[in-house]
Amino acid sequence: MTNENRLKPGPLDGIRVIEIAGIGPSPYAAMLLAELGADVVRVDRPGGAGLPHAPSDALNRSRPNLAIDLKHPRATDVLFRLVRHADVLIEGFRPGVAERLGIGPADCHAINPGLVYARMTGWGQDGPLAVRAGHDITYAALTGALHVSGGTDKPRQAANLIADFAGGSMFLVVGILAALLERSRSGAGQIVDAAMVDGAASLMTMLYGMHAHGVWRDEREANLVDGGAPFYDTYRCKDGKFVAVGAIEPQFFAQLLTGLDLEFDQFDRASWPAMRDAFKDTFAGRTRDEWARHFEGTDACVAPVLSLAEAPSHPHMAARGVFHQLADGYEPQVAPRFSRTPGRLPGSVRTVGQDSASVLAQAGFSPAEIEEMAREGVVHLARSS
């Protein structure tokens, strides 16, 4: 991505998004939309809505922060002035909360019938668990996604990637983009009900299909891609670090065996225990990086398992510019990539209320109105902004 391209509008240029601050899936979705060129404003509560014990939430980057006390009697008037000219509103409250605040779908559609009102929850807007609390591990547990992750001894979550970000954020973004596309034909907005349980279940489509046809055992480490097959697993090396092996196809498996100087019948399950032991013993004879160099240039599908500190410096990651270096670490760049309208470079993480004055001024509020609302506690101004 050249500097010239970075200055061009992103593919979502001209789309205005209001993000009611939440944690996890909704801010990540809003960040993606912002870095794809949308004009996103994060509406935060005066005290912030970030994760506990997180001094700086990277998900809040790349968009201005307006702090409004949504419980204040005048708050809806302020928000509705933004809604009037918005294309999308994102909220992640429990069902019924937005309605009680007077900013639910009916309220907002009365102001702007073309608004895409996007709702992000764990359980969805209805159902017996709709108002219950939960987290990624909770939603993954009830969809079967957690059951297939981990080892024979116990299920293990893949951080909070399954339900929060894959099942939540990504499906929220897909829903928003689909609703915007449909609006271009109908002229009407609609509600997008994105639930993490729905998304996490959808991610399991292939495995549920395989299970229905009897080719996926309903147990961990008993299948082709869950660690059951020795040629799709991780192995400890001489230095205690790991390599990942993913040689499913016979031609790739053949290159793996050549590199390890071993002979096995790939799909003879009876030989898998002996194959796994041979792989363990062989990989333990060299360091992780020695094995990476050994298999470099082959299709054996052997890769070093890199840490968060190591991954950004890998030659492929560096060549593509997958990560952006910061003073104290790295951050991933926007994805996917576009030939004519590349996304924006990641912007700074904004503090609560840092952009209140400028956002309100752009929405047509006068300096006197902004100061009055600040005095009354309707909005919060971070004076250092």
Side-chain angles (χ1 to χ4, degrees):
M1 185 183 297
T2 67
N3 289 332
E4 180 185 358
N5 283 341
R6 289 170 180 169
L7 299 176
K8 294 181 179 179
L12 296 182
D13 183 54
I15 298 296
R16 295 181 177 181
V17 181
I18 301 168
E19 170 205 0
I20 307 298
I23 61 173
S26 56
Y28 181 52
M31 185 202 83
L32 292 176
L33 295 174
E35 293 178 359
L36 291 176
D39 179 10
V40 183
V41 172
R42 178 176 170 90
V43 177
D44 225 322
R45 66 186 70 169
L51 290 168
H53 314 302
S56 177
D57 190 344
L59 299 183
N60 296 343
R61 75 189 192 193
S62 300
R63 57 206 188 276
N65 188 294
L66 164 63
I68 303 177
D69 180 2
L70 292 176
K71 295 181 180 180
H72 194 283
R74 293 184 59 189
T76 53
D77 293 336
V78 177
L79 188 66
F80 287 160
R81 284 178 69 169
L82 300 176
V83 166
R84 187 171 288 111
H85 302 289
D87 297 290
V88 180
L89 183 143
I90 298 172
E91 61 95 350
F93 296 121
R94 293 196 201 189
V97 173
E99 285 81 356
R100 290 196 296 272
L101 290 171
I103 58 171
D107 305 298
C108 290
H109 282 145
I111 301 295
N112 180 353
L115 183 73
V116 173
Y117 194 103
R119 319 195 79 167
M120 182 76 259
T121 60
W123 303 110
Q125 295 297 316
D126 51 33
L129 296 178
V131 297
R132 287 273 299 276
H135 278 293
D136 178 283
I137 193 171
T138 324
Y139 312 127
L142 264 65
T143 58
L146 185 61
H147 174 72
V148 302
S149 305
T152 54
D153 58 332
K154 60 179 289 188
R156 290 183 178 84
Q157 62 274 29
N160 64 327
L161 300 178
I162 294 175
D164 273 358
F165 299 125
S169 305
M170 294 304 177
F171 282 83
L172 179 63
V173 170
V174 168
I176 289 170
L177 297 181
L180 287 172
L181 180 62
E182 191 280 336
R183 190 189 67 172
S184 71
R185 299 191 294 267
S186 69
Q190 61 179 307
I191 301 167
V192 176
D193 175 7
M196 286 176 254
V197 287
D198 296 350
S202 180
L203 294 170
M204 294 282 291
T205 298
M206 183 186 77
L207 301 189
Y208 270 108
M210 293 171 69
H211 178 253
H213 288 88
V215 293
W216 183 273
R217 298 185 186 181
D218 201 8
E219 53 186 294
R220 289 179 298 281
E221 290 192 322
N223 301 283
L224 199 61
V225 294
D226 67 350
F231 45 83
Y232 201 90
D233 204 350
T234 59
Y235 292 93
R236 186 184 297 273
C237 301
K238 185 177 182 179
D239 55 357
K241 299 178 181 180
F242 289 82
V243 292
V245 175
I248 296 179
E249 292 80 359
Q251 66 272 29
F252 301 156
F253 180 76
Q255 293 191 45
L256 173 66
L257 291 189
T258 297
L260 297 177
D261 195 21
L262 296 172
E263 292 186 12
F264 283 100
D265 181 347
Q266 180 177 10
F267 292 106
D268 175 16
R269 279 184 173 261
S271 72
W272 281 9
M275 186 189 303
R276 189 182 304 277
D277 288 341
F279 285 1
K280 286 181 179 179
D281 292 343
T282 305
F283 279 115
R286 301 185 189 182
T287 68
R288 181 198 67 181
D289 293 344
E290 286 173 340
W291 282 118
R293 289 190 293 271
H294 179 73
F295 281 104
E296 188 173 349
T298 76
D299 282 339
C301 300
V302 175
V305 178
L306 302 179
S307 69
L308 301 186
E310 294 173 313
S313 299
H314 185 275
H316 185 80
M317 302 301 168
R320 282 185 60 80
V322 175
F323 294 90
H324 174 66
Q325 187 164 11
L326 302 171
D328 54 354
Y330 292 87
E331 61 183 357
Q333 299 276 27
V334 64
R337 304 180 185 201
F338 299 83
S339 61
R340 291 189 299 102
T341 57
R344 300 170 179 164
L345 286 172
S348 61
V349 174
R350 313 301 285 175
T351 59
V352 175
Q354 183 173 346
D355 308 289
S356 293
S358 61
V359 170
L360 292 170
Q362 290 172 8
F365 290 89
S366 69
E369 286 180 299
I370 296 171
E371 287 296 333
E372 178 190 4
M373 291 189 295
R375 286 195 301 270
E376 292 187 9
V378 185
V379 302
H380 168 72
L381 306 181
R383 299 293 177 177
S384 60
S385 63

